[in-house]
Amino acid sequence: MSRTATDHTQTFITRQFMAGISPAVRIPTSMAAFPPRTELVVIREGDRIIVEPKEKRLGDIPRLLHALNDHFIGGRPDFEETERDWS
């Protein structure tokens, strides 16, 4: 087992094993950042598997806003006023 830390990133080397008929991975206590019984979402992105809480927390807001930067177009779209019949 090997562990290194850089900022908020930790690496832990482990192996996949079978727990009954399901593949499983052990997570060290130092990396178990979620309260007990927290519902987790498992996402597969290519060769990566991401585990994150189902419910977002206030502490996630800066990361979520930063992720929106890729979708920000730089300003507000122009508003086009349309005539309405108020009768």
Side-chain angles (χ1 to χ4, degrees):
M1 293 182 225
S2 167
R3 214 168 88 182
T4 60
T6 308
D7 294 325
H8 296 288
T9 302
Q10 290 183 344
T11 302
F12 176 77
I13 307 299
T14 188
R15 290 195 173 110
Q16 178 177 301
F17 64 95
M18 296 302 289
I21 60 170
S22 299
V25 175
R26 291 194 196 285
I27 299 173
T29 305
S30 63
M31 294 178 117
F34 310 116
R37 304 186 58 80
T38 300
E39 285 188 296
L40 302 172
V41 177
V42 179
I43 303 165
R44 181 163 198 156
E45 288 182 357
D47 289 341
R48 296 179 58 183
I49 296 175
I50 301 166
V51 179
E52 61 186 21
K54 181 178 177 185
E55 299 296 325
K56 302 298 182 200
R57 299 177 300 192
L58 287 176
D60 295 330
I61 290 175
R63 182 181 56 81
L64 295 171
L65 291 175
H66 182 72
L68 288 176
N69 273 343
D70 297 339
H71 305 288
F72 183 63
I73 59 175
R76 260 176 94 158
D78 290 333
F79 176 73
E80 292 184 27
E81 187 174 349
T82 57
E83 284 293 320
R84 299 177 189 202
D85 181 10
W86 295 98
S87 52

